[in-house]
Amino acid sequence: MGVDFSALRTLINRYCAGEENWVDSRTVYIGHKEPPPGADAFIQQRFPDNRVVSSKYTFWNFIPKNMFEQFRRVANFYFLIIFLVQLIIDTPTSPVTSGLPLFFVIIVTAIKQGYEDWLRHKADKAVNQCPVSVIQRGKKIKKESFRITVGDVVFVKEDETFACDLILLSSSRDDGTCFVTTASLDGESSHKTYYAVQDTKAFRTEEEVDSIHATIECEQPQPDLYKFVGRINIYMDNEAVARPLGSENVLLRGATLKNTEFIYAVAIYTGMETKMALNYQSKSQKRSAVEKSMNSYLVVYLCILISKALINTVLKYIWQADPNKDEPWYNERTEAQRQRHILIRAFTDFLAFMVLFNYIIPVSMYVTVEMQKFLGSYFIMWDDDMYDEELGEGAVVNTSDLNEELGQVEYVFTDKTGTLTENNMEFIECCVDGHVYVPDAICNGQVLSGAAAMDMIDTSPGPGGREREELFFRALCLCHTVQVKEEETVDGIKHGIHQGKSASFYISSSPDEVALVEGMKKLGFTYLRLKDGQMEILNREDEIERFELLEVLSFDSVRRRMSVIVRAASGDIFLFCKGADSSILPRVISGKVDEVKARVEHNAVEGLRTLCVAYRPLSPEQHQEVCRLLSGAKLALQDRDKRLSEAYELVEKDLILLGATAVEDRLQEQAADTIESLHKAGMKVWVLTGDKMETAAATCYASRLFRRNTQILELTTKRVEEQNLHDVLFDLSRTVLRHHGSMTRDNCSSLSNDCTDYGLIIDGATLSAVMRPPQEDLNSGSYKEIFLEICRNCSAVLCCRMAPLQKAQIVKMIKASKEHPITLAIGDGANDVSMILEAHVGIGIMGKEGRQAVRNSDYAIPKFKHLKKMLLVHGHYYYIRISELVQYFFYKNVCFIFPQFLYQFFCGFSQQPLYDTAYLTLYNISFTSLPILVYSLMEQHINMDILKKDPSLYKDVAKNSLLRWPTFIYWTVLGVYNAIVMFFGTYFLFDNTTFTSNGQMFGNWTFGTLVFTVLVFTVTFKLVLDTHYWTWINHFVIWGSLVFFVLFSLLWGGIIWPFLNYQRMYYVFMQMLSSGPAWLSIILLITASLLPDVVKKVIWRALWPTITERIQSADKLYKGQLSEFTPLASLHAPSKAGGRRRGSENQSNPRRSAAFSKKLMFTRWQRKPDYCTFTPLLRFVDGHSPHHNAYGGAEPETCV
């Protein structure tokens, strides 16, 4: 008996010899049935259940994992060490001073993060416990979603969402097809058609489906949504019939069944192995640039602290080298102290000095920052401008850790469908032989009917033209793949109801097709249905015309056209073809090409989606030849796509041009204005979409991402097939670098047309090739750097046909580039979750595609237009506020602790505190913390209307400009200067002088209290000088803090407290205030401390004012009304050439983008808004009437 070792040999080749091109596969047993005897061996593989997990913590790992993440922060780890040191050795201050603030921060942060994760657990539980119908033993049973396993046969009804990845076995439709929307996967809300396996499509009951005996062999899970390779082996009479499976048979988790009553399908990938789950990024802790700056500053201050402690330790032992100073008669050492080794004593002293100077590291800053972020986030949620009446919802903040990052964004990555657009196509017009037809026109406020509109737009064509016009309308009614739905509701929304009766309406895989068919309906030709191979249309005379559908030549992105072959009732056979002008016009042999082409170009410039329509009459002989070509290609097993493509090329030729159509993909309200503002603010906007290239490009033009003068560079599969990737990349690189420097968007005004900028279009397949790591045998190296260089020099980038994980890879690539820019991702569907999690800031839009994006985002807004205010106003304010908070905290702690350092030189380095313990503890907690907290919540250095109207002000705070090292050094030097003035000013003013009326001298506690009093008033007044926006809360907190300090000092030193063992501050504060020279010194020292900063600000504002300072000055001049009538362009810095302002009168040949000498302003003194111009601004002040200068065409650049 021979033994077949072929299977064993194959395994050895795969696992030991490293057989190439082998993809690991899995075998799925439908209904968990074993294959019949004689088939492959039954090996039951283990697969994960259908549980989906988006949470970060579990009950068991929360404490260790959260503690690890928190102590990764430099400050938290440092304070933990200091706390432990205070517990171990005898230090000048109590361990409570370090321990309490640290544990407060840790506990508050842990509670906040635990609550956020609990919400994610709750959402996961709702998804995992959703009921699903499963077929077992010929019966339908309900299972919770997470209990589904690979091999289960699932029953899904219309409008239900697929719980896992499935292979379609059969459907309620006779042809075994079903319609699905994949909005939550790739952003396309159109209906897509999927096909059942041919041999199983007839099984439509539970018993029949349960009788299927088959196995599926397919690849292991991988994240590409558009790729699937597998086969199904169906056993009939113990004979296996193999059928291929492709992406058209796979129903992905998250997609929804539409326009199909029910389906039966088998689970192949479950839980975290589904394609949707594989496209999720793991949720990681995001850290803002400000927090990174804080950590850097902390390291510097830690070095200062260590050097201070080291200097004091060394000087102490130099001081104690003299025996009289080392051990005076009044402070002799114990025997145990004498026996200790000098190194141990020195190390203990070093730690004691570290604890004494520890207050230079502001632990309370982290508490204040956490509170500022948490409370500040409510201003976004309370903003009425970001509330949407239609949704009944406002903005949502899911994490408050990134508020200030909203003011630092350099790259915006946005989804297209549902984010930029409403995904609502509208038929605008059509052109037949040069005659333009508009379905509805508005004249003098009256909506005219279609016929009246046509007469108004153009003269009616002659008899021959009338015939061609009707042929055009019929072509559009027939050349499509639209389905007709007769029911009253779709997606739960009532449609087509007129006078209580339900009417039919259209659904399709392409929203353009629906818009075209609906447009024809308005123009008098209504598509009714496809029934038994007959397409029915209703003409203008209310007669039903029937056409037999013979062939459909499907649309594909390479041909960029589709065709149908139909037979009219008269027996004539026509091929109707519609597609992009670039693919139709070269195949046209007659027709009014020039007129139609001109109209197409006009509509394309307007951002409309255009299609050309043509036809070809076919003789019976030609039709038979076409059928022979097409059937031969369809039956081919090898290179089927290639042979079909060749057949289509032969059929779609010798066309006669009929006309063209224009459809608008309606943008969201103010989407174009928002993108324009983001560009002016210095941000680069990239559109990342799963949609087709043509669709996405049209949207980019409509939203002003691409402009009329934008030169489009294509890096697509089609071009890479013609040239190799290496050549294409280097060609594009040479093109953009040739104009680099002189032709960038920054140098071009938003209105200038004589300036070339570049827009790049790339698709998913080409991106994969670019991102692929370089191979050793190639000399080309990595293409990623070349691609990045091209992108940097393009004003806008469009990435189409993107898988969700590719979106995240693009964001990650930009994040990792050498500039390390701050990125923001915004989207509305589950397909955007990966990039939302990857970007520094993720924003979800509350759209129609579920709430996955909102749930996984950092912030959620109702509409794309709200992004403008979120970044330009809230982001700007948050960054200004927190940068002042951080710098101010370090400054006030330098002022606080540097006198303590200087004091050691006058107390024999004995670690004697300069300030009382109560002052040490309460300085950062009570006396100086509330004013800066309120400042960081309320400050508005510029009116918010101005920030919205002049987006370029956003550049003032870009690239972390207020937390750069020069600014940090200035604040630190200012703090050191203030500390020296306070300490030595007090020291020299009181040297050898009696101050009280009874001749008593001030002691060391009075000296320290005087320094501390000057300190508290100085740092508070410094904040007063920096505050631009005053409210009653600011006044209450600032003056209230100073009053509280005085009252506390009076009570602390004026009462004998029974719980204190000693009371060294008794009567000290009252004694100090009873001295006239003490009052004088307090006033003099506060003035001397603040004077240099005031002088510096005055000189800088006078000689080198920033744009922000110019606007602040102008706003004060016009008493806060600047935003209503002042031209912002006039406040910008003069141009470098000759120091003239932009658009000055002596500038020769001003460009269209330059401002005129007359500025356009928006005035509010009339009942209705009126746009006027004024020559000089002072004429308005003098009361001269402006009306004689009324000006019609205004320039947006100077318009307020």
Side-chain angles (χ1 to χ4, degrees), residues 508-625:
S508 170
S509 59
S510 167
D512 300 67
E513 290 194 326
V514 173
L516 291 173
V517 174
E518 286 178 342
M520 292 306 100
K521 189 175 181 179
K522 291 177 182 176
L523 292 173
F525 280 78
T526 306
Y527 171 62
L528 298 176
R529 67 186 65 82
L530 170 63
K531 187 177 181 183
D532 301 327
Q534 297 280 333
M535 299 182 84
E536 298 179 1
I537 60 175
L538 188 71
N539 63 22
R540 284 179 183 155
E541 285 73 35
D542 286 340
E543 298 169 350
I544 293 179
E545 300 178 8
R546 289 182 176 84
F547 294 81
E548 184 185 351
L549 180 62
L550 302 173
E551 294 285 351
V552 176
L553 283 62
S554 304
F555 177 89
D556 66 67
S557 57
V558 177
R559 280 169 49 243
R560 298 173 71 186
R561 60 184 180 274
M562 76 156 290
S563 303
V564 293
I565 299 174
V566 296
R567 181 184 282 120
S570 61
D572 296 328
I573 300 173
F574 294 98
L575 178 141
F576 291 118
C577 184
K578 74 167 191 267
D581 56 321
S582 57
S583 68
I584 297 284
L585 296 178
R587 301 178 173 277
V588 167
I589 56 169
S590 68
K592 295 190 177 180
V593 177
D594 293 336
E595 291 91 333
V596 172
K597 191 174 180 181
R599 193 66 193 176
V600 165
E601 287 175 356
H602 171 268
N603 287 332
V605 165
E606 297 298 319
L608 301 177
R609 298 154 66 97
T610 57
L611 288 175
C612 289
V613 182
Y615 81 104
R616 174 190 175 191
L618 295 174
S619 66
E621 294 78 19
Q622 287 175 320
H623 175 238
Q624 284 178 1
E625 178 63 19

Side-chain angles (χ1 to χ4, degrees), residues 35-39 213 234-241:
H213 204 180
I234 302 163
Y235 299 103
M236 296 178 180
D237 302 324
N238 290 338
E239 287 293 322
V241 178

Side-chain angles (χ1 to χ4, degrees), residues 1158 1160 1171-1176 1179 1185-1192:
K1158 296 181 180 181
L1160 184 78
Y1171 287 90
C1172 310
T1173 52
F1174 295 89
T1175 313
R1179 289 186 64 180
S1185 171
H1187 296 290
H1188 66 280
N1189 272 338
Y1191 182 65

